[in-house]
Amino acid sequence: MPSDESATLQPARPDRPPSDSLPSTLHLEQLRAIGPPRPATQERTTTEGRAEVAAADEATRRTNNPPLPKVPAHRLRVIRGQKLNIEYPIADGSNYIGRWDSEVVEIDLTDQEPADRVWSSRRHALLTLSSGIMTLEDLHSLNGTFVNRRRLYPGQTRVLGANDVILIGTVQLQVLV
């Protein structure tokens, strides 16, 4: 004997078996919410559908992703050291390279050299950026400063270009412009 609940959802019909009964009222309400089928002339083409999906994806990307941070034009990338591919931005004016201790340095190489092989000085070199031109000067360091394997003597300045390699202690830095 069917329960009262199934009797309201599937009305019994004497001329049909129960498996062929009419859809429940719930299904009819869903069909009404969807609405009548569209005529074939209103069908969207595949290209139109793809264009709508692409536009929706672009709108989602614009609203969900924050703007990308601005990358400084001039920077140094570590190509040999303890932490590879770390980039140091170069600010306009003087940028001291060395190990932070009692003296402040803008490019701190403390974490780049192993504790048992520290060859960079506290204030090893001075990198100056002025009007888009970078120059490097050794500050009388104990182990010297090298640019593209050539020694830069104390007090001597050298203009740096893109992809030049600076060696300070055991750390190699590549110039990115």
Side-chain angles (χ1 to χ4, degrees):
M1 176 125 230
S3 67
D4 292 336
E5 192 175 317
S6 65
T8 58
L9 292 177
Q10 297 179 354
R13 294 192 53 177
D15 56 333
R16 291 190 184 161
S19 62
D20 290 339
S21 64
L22 295 173
S24 69
T25 55
L26 178 63
H27 292 293
L28 290 174
E29 288 174 6
Q30 288 175 342
L31 289 173
R32 285 187 195 118
I34 294 172
R38 290 189 305 189
T41 57
Q42 290 183 351
E43 295 262 340
R44 290 187 311 212
T45 65
T46 307
T47 308
E48 290 172 341
R50 287 183 186 153
E52 286 181 14
V53 169
D57 286 347
E58 181 61 30
T60 302
R61 273 194 294 274
R62 273 189 265 126
T63 57
N64 290 344
N65 293 339
L68 295 174
K70 191 174 181 180
V71 177
H74 300 283
R75 54 199 190 284
L76 297 178
R77 177 186 292 152
V78 177
I79 57 174
R80 190 174 95 191
Q82 294 288 341
K83 298 178 180 178
L84 295 177
N85 296 321
I86 298 291
E87 292 186 357
Y88 298 101
I90 306 299
D92 283 331
S94 299
N95 297 275
Y96 287 95
I97 303 172
R99 291 180 291 118
W100 185 84
D101 190 24
S102 60
E103 302 269 346
V104 177
V105 292
E106 284 73 28
I107 300 169
D108 185 10
L109 301 178
T110 305
D111 294 339
Q112 292 295 341
E113 292 184 304
D116 61 337
R117 291 186 65 201
V118 177
W119 288 9
S120 61
S121 300
R122 287 182 180 85
R123 279 212 165 167
H124 196 101
L126 175 64
L127 182 72
T128 305
L129 178 63
S130 177
S131 302
I133 299 172
M134 281 193 295
T135 58
L136 184 66
E137 178 184 355
D138 183 78
L139 298 177
H140 301 277
S141 64
L142 184 61
N143 293 306
T145 302
F146 296 82
V147 177
N148 298 329
R149 297 184 178 182
R150 292 189 178 187
R151 184 166 187 154
L152 185 64
Y153 292 100
Q156 178 186 7
T157 56
R158 166 125 186 229
V159 176
L160 299 174
N163 297 321
D164 280 347
V165 176
I166 302 168
L167 177 64
I168 294 180
T170 59
V171 182
Q172 284 186 351
L173 304 158
Q174 182 180 23
V175 177
L176 303 175
V177 180

